[in-house]
Amino acid sequence: MNAKTLIGIAAVIILGVVGYVWFGQSGQQQALDDGTTKVGFVYVGPVGDGGWTYEHDKGRQAVEKEFGDKVETVFVESVPEGPDSERVMTQMALEGADLIFTTSFGYMDPTINVAKEFPNVKFEHATGYKTADNVSVYSARFYEGRAVQGHIAGNMTKSNIIGYIGSYPIPEVIRGINSAYIHAKKVNPDVEFKIVWAYTWFDPAKEADAATVLIEQGADVILQHTDSTAPQAAAQEAGNVVTFGQASDMSEYAPFPRVSSIIDDWAPYYIARTQAVMDGTWESANTWDGIREGMVAIGEISDAVPADVKEEALALKAAMAAGEYHPFTGPLKKQDGSDWLGDGDVADDGTLAGMNFYVEGLEGEIPQ
């Protein structure tokens, strides 16, 4: 091999490395050059799940509608929590994303890891608690919606058995179970909760099986913290079983079995955070909003719910929106009978954020 050939090969290698740096790690510069802000979304389920991911994608579409050609959005759906999510985030950053929303609890550590490698990219992680200079966290106070659901459920059950499909035993899910139980118990002291852990966010087959098991155990009301409409379909097939939409309205099953829902409205937050990146005002923050701010909405309560129960549920919603009532207000004890909140005391956000216990009256252990 002569000297000219060696020089040529070296030149190709150098150009290749430079090209990688320019088009890969410096992809943000391209976005800045054409004035477009690139926003990425990483989804744990498919955009057509009818629940969690469906609502996040509605938020993405709202960003596009708000900013038009000033923004470009990209998304990857059905990304497993773990190493694969880190690969997806890295690829988005390399391809020039200025802002990346990672929309599931299990993406927390991967988000932090990738953010260290791309300090000029802004990251927003849903439902987690770890932040960095370029990582914010955001979540909704879903437990407020669970309080409304619990009130309706406690009034509507005839068997006094309410089934609850849990996804994973993390504080977010445990808070929801506790809140629903507290408010069902207030209106129906005889109510009993049966909990099935599906160990998935989205798996229609597992969710349907969980609903069927609960119905076979006597539950005539099913609540869920999983993302598909499969429990609604199982309840519809069984007949006379009440359900509630999760994360999205799931109104295709209204007016029965779906009698109401918790709706997650991410659009205002996504628009505001994208605007902050555009303005250069983005800062790391920890946002936890609820009914008052509109991040949590209560879907239409159908006429299958008695008028007086509907009126009470809407009054409960209004009280939370006004800041006049908190779902975790004492007196409350923990499952083991120990005191937790005194009469009139309200749970602090720190305890709620790390909640790892059931309240008094709930049966069974929280899986480890």
Side-chain angles (χ1 to χ4, degrees), residues 106-176:
Y107 296 156
M108 181 167 60
D109 287 336
T111 300
I112 292 294
N113 293 340
V114 176
K116 290 177 183 177
E117 300 299 319
F118 297 91
N120 294 323
V121 179
K122 311 304 183 188
F123 292 82
E124 297 267 353
H125 176 237
T127 73
Y129 55 86
K130 293 183 180 180
T131 61
D133 288 346
N134 62 330
V135 180
S136 282
V137 292
Y138 63 102
S139 190
R141 296 181 184 270
F142 308 116
Y143 64 84
E144 293 179 345
R146 300 291 180 199
V148 177
Q149 290 186 345
H151 180 87
I152 296 172
N155 276 290
M156 294 196 71
T157 180
K158 294 180 174 61
S159 67
N160 292 327
I161 298 175
I162 295 173
Y164 204 112
I165 304 172
S167 47
Y168 295 97
I170 61 175
E172 171 192 333
V173 180
I174 296 166
R175 282 194 302 271

Side-chain angles (χ1 to χ4, degrees), residues 17 21 25 89 126 159 172 198 225-226 275 284 286 302 323 343 356:
V17 172
V21 172
Q25 292 181 335
M89 295 171 206
S159 67
E172 171 192 333
H225 202 130
T226 53
Q275 184 69 66
S284 177
N286 187 332
S302 80
D343 190 14
N356 61 355

Side-chain angles (χ1 to χ4, degrees), residues 210-220 222 231 234-235 238 241:
T212 299
V213 166
L214 290 167
I215 292 167
E216 290 174 348
Q217 291 178 354
D220 60 355
I222 302 291
V241 176

Side-chain angles (χ1 to χ4, degrees), residues 24 59 97 187 249 269 276 282 286 291 334:
V187 298
D249 203 23
Y269 184 81
W282 188 97
N286 187 332
I291 289 175
K334 295 184 179 181

